[in-house]
Amino acid sequence: MKSTLDRRTFVKLTVSASGALIAGVYLQSCESEMIPAAIHEFSPLIKIDTDGWVTLIAKNPEIGQGIKTALPMIMAEELGADWDKVKVVQGDFDEAYEEQWAGGSYAIVLNWDLMRTAAAKVRHVLLQAASKKMNKKVSELSTIKGKVLHSKSGEAMPFETLLHEASKLPLPEEVEFKPTDSFEIVGKNTSQVDLQQLVTGKTKFSIDVKLPEMVYGTVLKNPVFEGGVGSFDDTEARMVNGVIDIVELDNTAYGGRLLGPNSPNFVNGIAVLANSTWSAFQGARKLEVVWDTSGTRKENTDGIFERFHSQLTNTTIERKDGDIHRARKTEASNFEAVYQVPFLAHIPMEPMNCTVDFRADLCEVWAPTQNPKALQEGLIKLFGLKPEQIKIHLPRIGGAFGRRYYVDYAMDTAILSKKIGKPVKLTWTREEDIQHDWYRPASIQKMVASLDESGMVTGWQHILANASRKTCLGREGRPAGTEIDEYEFPAGFVPDLQFEYGHVMSDVPLGQWRAVGLSATVFAIHSFLSELAILHNMDPIDYFLKFLGPARMVPVVGDYEFDAGRLIEVVQKVRHNSNWDIPLPKGHGKGFAATKLSGSFVAEVVTVSVDENENVTILRVDAVVDCGIVVNPSGAKAQVEGGILEGLSAALYGEVTVKNGFAEQSNFHDYRWIRMNEVPKIHVEFVANNLPPRGLGEPPLPPAAPALANAIFAASGKRIRKLPIL
């Protein structure tokens, strides 16, 4: 199989600052008798030393998705390295790496060929060097476990014996990839590379950064979205032991609300600087602030949803196939339902924080960011810096779920460090973290189906009304683009189909949340399909399979086709794994949902019990996933489990409500999340195939909510059309 990575991209990735292969030296020990190992740097991503150790750079932000392990596994596989002699080092931000961000479940998708190509080029020069030393044809050689092997004779040469010759050879422009059936590393359960440090508490997260002469800080932001600081009295705050300074933060002095499209700036407020985070927190509590809320809408949740409901009749058509009005008049029956989903916060366990050392010649940043490029661009815009004056470190991140794609928390940290001339670590309280989030959009969704005499859908109308994430973030394009678009399922499956969008303006800050738009729309779509099945006395899975039709490629938009066969397969497998067709006792029920996201197909069945007091207990979740090649099954399973649990948590409890313009929830006592004793048994199966790997962080989340709601109906007869459930 040939690399599909273009030459320009690879050159940018592999050429070092000097434009040549680099050989360095380091001492493995301070003891004089130890022989230093020479390091041969074949690319910024791959180094091999004369002791046989392969050092691989994990270039993407690690937010718990396991990418620090998965990407090096791909390189080690293609190189033929011995995983037991691989060192993985987290890379700082470097534009040479490209695609150095986390979001949209794209890390493996975008880096699969990139990582394989980088490693295959190094493998090529090792094979060439071995060919000369062994006097064997390159075609007869292979790499395995850190050696070049001539399988016919059994002769083998470790990588370290070939480095001198290999480092002199030019890297090829094109390479052949290893066949997938020869994989020794990819596809095997592999522990996270920093697992020991994680479980022993030694891992350094961004919040753990300490620098000499560092000042600690926190922020108090205007609780009303879009508001500012009217006046404040810091007399008592300055009397708190350890408080150093109080600084007003006004984003109008730094470019305003947005740094750029999809890149929000910090919210106006006040920072407290101290000699410890605790002192900063105490000082912030003592501030007396009069907030300026003039010019803001001072919205309330009920009013927001009333506007959403009203907007259902004032929409733009985003996709139109056939004629839904004709279908409505001519078919045997019509059915409609309205669904509601709330605003959701991200609540990563590590709250927003950042450390910046802003010096005269360099702005050095330690940031838990999903998007270091946006951070660099923000610093350039706010301070007029050149890229070479910015150094961004990427510590491990304690959760993100889309919140850390934005860099607002880093901008005010940089302002403070520049102002006082010292390193500053800014840490938000949990309250600030929840009340100044960029929330998952709430929405009202109306579904209308026209049905033939057998109860099957021939006409489908999906109307969604809400405040657009795209508009809130200043992104170009139609407001509907982030909420419902022409690619939405079941486009292509229904002859008469129409998607409509009603746009409502709001001050509520909106942003990416795990699984973004589908976290809302899949709830409505699969709740509705289950309702249609029950309405016609059909089994929901039977109904869905009949709705899909035979396995085939379904044209959707342009060249994009939906592989119905792959979706059908995961549905059939989850039916079997969940014992779907075996009757349950009274008060128990199963619910089903399935979807495609980021190229992956997921089907889920949730089993629940509901007692006479309507207490819901989730007993089990079965999931079947087709994401192509699974790089690290243990990490992939954790991703699926995490996505399911977050989806269930949001469905049960997740809700941000707005009162007089500010978020009412402030901590885990009023923003409930699933507890350890509530976690059900989760069974995950991956479909085995050799198709290119696709995204996995987000696809398992959307089916969880409708599967749970459908299970509750099966157990109790209570239909859930509004989230959260409890």
Side-chain angles (χ1 to χ4, degrees):
M1 177 180 180
K2 285 190 176 181
S3 164
T4 59
L5 191 67
D6 64 89
R7 182 174 182 272
R8 172 184 166 275
T9 301
F10 186 76
V11 168
K12 289 179 69 177
L13 175 71
T14 57
V15 175
S16 65
S18 65
L21 299 179
I22 297 175
V25 174
Y26 75 100
L27 295 176
Q28 287 190 309
S29 171
C30 296
E31 299 177 18
S32 58
E33 65 269 17
M34 295 296 291
I35 300 174
I39 304 173
H40 293 260
E41 183 174 331
F42 290 92
S43 84
L45 292 172
I46 303 172
K47 305 173 187 178
I48 307 175
D49 70 33
T50 51
D51 282 343
W53 285 93
V54 176
T55 298
L56 302 175
I57 304 301
K59 70 182 187 68
N60 282 39
E62 173 59 69
I63 56 177
Q65 80 280 43
I67 208 66
K68 186 176 180 180
T69 302
L71 293 186
M73 284 177 68
I74 298 169
M75 285 191 285
E77 179 66 73
E78 199 64 43
L79 181 62
D82 180 351
W83 186 251
D84 290 335
K85 294 206 71 175
V86 167
K87 298 176 183 178
V88 176
V89 175
Q90 178 65 54
D92 292 334
F93 173 63
D94 189 331
E95 295 216 54
Y97 292 148
E98 296 202 22
E99 307 295 356
Q100 195 178 11
W101 53 282
S105 303
Y106 281 125
I108 293 293
V109 176
L110 295 176
N111 286 289
W112 175 247
D113 278 359
L114 193 70
M115 298 296 98
R116 295 186 76 186
T117 301
K121 287 177 180 265
V122 177
R123 185 186 75 237
H124 179 85
V125 295
L126 289 170
L127 291 173
Q128 282 192 315
S131 174
K132 292 180 181 179
K133 296 189 78 170
M134 291 181 176
N135 195 26
K136 307 290 186 184
K137 294 180 180 179
V138 170
S139 60
E140 296 178 352
L141 303 176
S142 61
T143 56
I144 185 170
K145 292 190 180 300
K147 299 177 182 179
V148 174
L149 174 67
H150 184 253
S151 57
K152 291 182 180 179
S153 65
E155 184 179 356
M157 298 191 73
F159 287 173
E160 58 265 33
T161 65
L162 302 167
L163 299 181
H164 180 71
E165 293 80 5
S167 63
K168 296 178 181 179
L169 299 172
L171 296 176
E173 292 189 9
E174 293 187 3
V175 290
E176 293 284 339
F177 289 153
K178 290 175 60 176
T180 57
D181 59 8
S182 69
F183 282 176
E184 297 283 337
I185 297 172
V186 167
K188 304 297 189 297
N189 286 313
T190 304
S191 297
Q192 300 298 306
V193 293
D194 48 6
L195 180 62
Q196 183 177 5
Q197 289 78 14
L198 283 167
V199 299
T200 57
K202 296 178 181 178
T203 298
K204 297 299 181 184
F205 292 82
S206 177
I207 205 168
D208 299 315
V209 171
K210 291 184 179 180
L211 301 175
E213 300 183 359
M214 185 170 74
V215 173
Y216 300 79
T218 195
V219 289
L220 194 65
K221 307 275 188 174
N222 191 321
V224 176
F225 313 131
E226 303 293 331
V229 178
S231 62
F232 65 95
D233 184 345
D234 60 7
T235 305
E236 289 192 25
R238 289 184 181 274
M239 293 175 64
V240 172
N241 185 35
V243 169
I244 296 170
D245 201 1
I246 312 289
V247 180
E248 181 178 346
L249 294 166
D250 181 1
N251 64 28
T252 60
Y254 294 92
R257 181 179 178 278
L258 293 175
L259 295 166
N262 208 39
S263 186
N265 203 353
F266 63 87
V267 173
N268 295 325
I270 302 168
V272 178
L273 300 173
N275 60 13
S276 70
T277 299
W278 176 253
S279 293
F281 283 0
Q282 297 309 305
R285 291 189 177 98
K286 296 291 185 179
L287 282 171
E288 296 182 11
V289 187
V290 177
W291 297 108
D292 178 9
T293 60
S294 60
T296 65
R297 290 183 174 88
K298 299 184 183 65
E299 295 171 293
N300 295 284
T301 297
D302 288 346
I304 291 171
F305 278 107
E306 285 176 7
R307 287 191 284 148
F308 290 172
H309 274 288
S310 298
Q311 204 67 28
L312 289 173
T313 57
N314 183 16
T315 62
T316 58
I317 296 176
E318 302 302 320
R319 175 168 180 145
K320 180 180 174 63
D321 296 349
D323 187 343
I324 59 166
H325 301 292
R326 177 192 55 78
R328 198 165 297 168
K329 293 177 181 178
T330 58
E331 290 296 352
S333 63
N334 296 284
F335 182 75
E336 66 180 55
V338 176
Y339 302 89
Q340 177 174 320
V341 298
F343 297 109
L344 294 176
H346 296 83
I347 59 168
M349 290 307 297
E350 180 187 19
M352 298 303 106
N353 71 91
C354 186
T355 300
V356 178
D357 186 4
F358 206 125
R359 306 190 289 275
D361 59 340
L362 182 69
C363 180
E364 192 166 8
V365 183
W366 290 260
T369 176
Q370 295 176 246
N371 192 0
K373 177 64 175 174
L375 175 51
Q376 181 196 58
E377 290 173 347
L379 293 170
I380 290 171
K381 182 172 183 177
L382 291 195
F383 304 106
L385 299 173
K386 298 178 181 178
E388 58 268 24
Q389 293 177 296
I390 301 169
K391 185 172 182 60
I392 299 173
H393 304 284
L394 302 176
R396 190 180 177 99
I397 302 170
F401 314 115
R403 172 61 178 94
R404 286 185 160 103
Y405 197 81
Y406 309 121
V407 297
D408 50 320
Y409 56 92
M411 295 301 103
D412 45 19
T413 312
I415 289 168
L416 294 168
S417 179
K418 187 175 190 295
K419 181 178 179 63
I420 69 170
K422 291 183 179 181
V424 171
K425 177 161 74 174
L426 196 68
T427 305
W428 291 22
T429 63
R430 177 65 63 190
E431 289 76 11
E432 290 292 326
D433 194 65
I434 290 178
Q435 294 183 328
H436 289 97
D437 202 344
W438 296 85
Y439 306 108
R440 194 283 303 273
S443 65
I444 295 291
Q445 301 177 63
K446 182 177 180 180
M447 314 294 296
V448 183
S450 299
L451 309 161
D452 63 20
E453 292 182 354
S454 68
M456 296 312 299
V457 177
T458 59
W460 181 279
Q461 185 180 25
H462 187 167
I463 309 172
L464 187 151
N466 74 348
S468 167
R469 183 164 52 95
K470 181 171 282 191
T471 300
C472 177
L473 293 166
R475 293 167 58 176
E476 294 182 358
R478 297 166 67 88
T482 52
E483 313 307 315
I484 184 171
D485 60 33
E486 58 186 348
Y487 291 90
E488 193 80 52
F489 182 83
F493 287 87
V494 181
D496 296 312
L497 175 141
Q498 192 160 297
F499 297 152
E500 300 176 39
Y501 179 65
H503 184 213
V504 174
M505 294 300 296
S506 171
D507 287 341
V508 178
L510 307 172
Q512 273 110 259
W513 191 87
R514 192 172 185 174
V516 288
L518 268 67
S519 69
T521 58
V522 169
F523 168 68
I525 293 165
H526 276 274
S527 296
F528 190 56
L529 284 168
S530 181
E531 290 201 49
L532 294 177
I534 301 302
L535 183 68
H536 291 88
N537 299 311
M538 292 181 67
D539 175 273
I541 289 184
D542 286 341
Y543 188 87
F544 184 67
L545 290 173
K546 191 173 181 181
F547 180 86
L548 291 179
R552 66 201 187 284
M553 299 302 294
V554 178
V556 179
V557 177
D559 294 334
Y560 171 64
E561 296 181 315
F562 192 109
D563 192 335
R566 293 177 73 179
L567 187 59
I568 290 168
E569 182 177 11
V570 295
V571 171
Q572 291 172 334
K573 285 181 177 293
V574 84
R575 179 178 205 150
H576 173 268
N577 293 353
S578 65
N579 294 318
W580 175 267
D581 296 304
I582 296 177
L584 293 172
K586 182 180 179 181
H588 290 64
K590 293 177 183 175
F592 156 80
T595 191
K596 177 190 178 185
L597 175 60
S598 302
S600 293
F601 300 81
V602 183
E604 294 173 11
V605 169
V606 174
T607 305
V608 305
S609 67
V610 181
D611 66 19
E612 61 275 9
N613 296 317
E614 297 190 345
N615 295 310
V616 177
T617 301
I618 304 174
L619 303 173
R620 178 183 170 100
V621 180
D622 287 274
V624 176
V625 181
D626 179 356
C627 59
I629 293 171
V630 181
V631 175
N632 182 6
S634 65
K637 182 181 178 183
Q639 283 278 74
V640 174
E641 292 172 339
I644 289 170
L645 290 176
E646 188 161 16
L648 294 175
S649 295
L652 287 170
Y653 311 115
E655 181 179 31
V656 169
T657 56
V658 179
K659 182 178 181 180
N660 295 325
F662 65 88
E664 294 187 278
Q665 288 68 31
S666 62
N667 213 313
F668 289 111
H669 72 285
D670 57 5
Y671 195 88
R672 180 83 157 77
W673 217 236
I674 201 165
R675 304 289 196 259
M676 290 183 68
N677 65 313
E678 298 172 313
V679 173
K681 181 178 180 180
I682 301 176
H683 178 269
V684 180
E685 178 184 347
F686 292 99
V687 174
N689 58 48
N690 285 321
L691 296 170
R694 288 296 177 255
L696 195 56
E698 296 173 301
L701 186 146
L708 173 60
N710 293 335
I712 291 172
F713 175 82
S716 68
K718 181 180 179 180
R719 177 60 67 184
I720 306 296
R721 290 179 176 171
K722 178 182 177 182
L723 298 180
I725 295 168
L726 301 179

